[in-house]
Amino acid sequence: MINKKWDEVLKDDLKADYFRKLGIFVKSEYKTKTIFPDYAYIFNALRLTDYDDVKVVILGQDPYHGVGEAHGLSFSVRKGIKRPPSLDNIFKELYDDLGIKRENNDLTDWAKQGVLLLNSVLTVVKDRPLSHKEHGWEIFTDNIIKYLNKREKPIVFILWGSYARSKKQMITNPNHYIIESVHPSPLSVYRGFFGSKPFSKTNQFLKEHGIKEINW
């Protein structure tokens, strides 16, 4: 369904009653409304970043709800689509932190290097943010965090904003490293996101643990 390793890790979830009900709900929504991302991209983050390959998790809330934006990776938009304000601020911090001027708004290259770009809710109705919250996605994605927490190999969890930071309680394994700040949205970015240096901190941690750094 997703790929061999994630299917194995998530085998109990994929058979669970909550996931069956979630599947019925999601399929019905796609038939009757405009839903993002495209159906084929719902599990894009898991397909691009396998369980054993995860080095970093960047947790978002739910997909972008504008036409053509979401493609299954948190904070990322398809190539050629206008950069959303939060992603613009992420790139400003990347430049201030590491001097990297990034033009491509599609973060697939991060995902292929081991950055799991995971939203807590994986689908959304057009122009209606959080419209698919509390239908079961949060159970599924919270369990993904819990399964990653069990891993011995260190992971950096990047939690931006109060919603992502609420997931901190599930990250109890001392092998892992948590980086947290306010959200990169224009409403909060000047209250501690700018200057937080998440990219250099991530690479320093990976380097210290003998893990190949991310080419941001």
Side-chain angles (χ1 to χ4, degrees), residues 80-207:
I81 298 294
K82 185 182 176 186
R83 188 179 301 167
S86 292
L87 184 59
D88 194 45
N89 288 331
I90 289 167
F91 286 179
K92 285 176 183 174
E93 178 61 20
L94 175 60
Y95 181 75
D96 289 345
D97 186 4
L98 291 174
I100 295 170
K101 189 170 178 62
R102 189 179 169 97
E103 300 295 339
N104 186 3
N105 301 332
D106 184 338
L107 304 180
T108 296
D109 59 307
W110 289 6
K112 288 181 176 178
Q113 293 179 75
V115 182
L116 181 65
L117 296 162
L118 182 69
N119 281 315
S120 284
V121 177
L122 299 187
T123 53
V124 69
V125 179
K126 178 181 181 288
D127 298 332
R128 285 177 51 201
L130 297 177
S131 46
H132 280 183
K133 67 182 281 195
E134 296 174 2
H135 285 280
W137 279 130
E138 294 93 334
I139 301 171
F140 181 69
T141 55
D142 281 0
N143 284 346
I144 288 172
I145 295 169
K146 291 172 186 174
Y147 299 142
L148 288 168
N149 180 59
K150 291 178 182 177
R151 234 186 55 181
E152 288 302 306
K153 190 176 178 183
I155 298 170
V156 179
F157 288 87
I158 298 178
L159 309 178
W160 289 329
S162 56
Y163 183 80
R165 292 165 95 171
S166 73
K167 308 295 183 178
K168 184 179 176 181
Q169 62 187 354
M170 294 183 283
I171 307 163
T172 57
N173 186 337
N175 291 358
H176 306 318
Y177 179 45
I178 298 171
I179 296 172
E180 56 182 318
S181 76
V182 297
H183 197 276
S185 88
L187 297 173
S188 58
V189 72
Y190 289 102
R191 298 205 308 268
F193 179 78
F194 284 151
S196 62
K197 299 188 180 299
F199 306 102
S200 59
K201 287 177 181 175
T202 293
N203 277 355
Q204 182 62 33
F205 178 83
L206 295 175
K207 186 177 180 181

Side-chain angles (χ1 to χ4, degrees), residues 60-80:
Q61 194 158 2
D62 71 335
Y64 293 122
H65 51 85
V67 174
E69 294 178 326
H71 63 129
L73 304 177
S74 63
F75 295 102
S76 177
V77 293
R78 296 172 190 261
K79 194 172 182 179

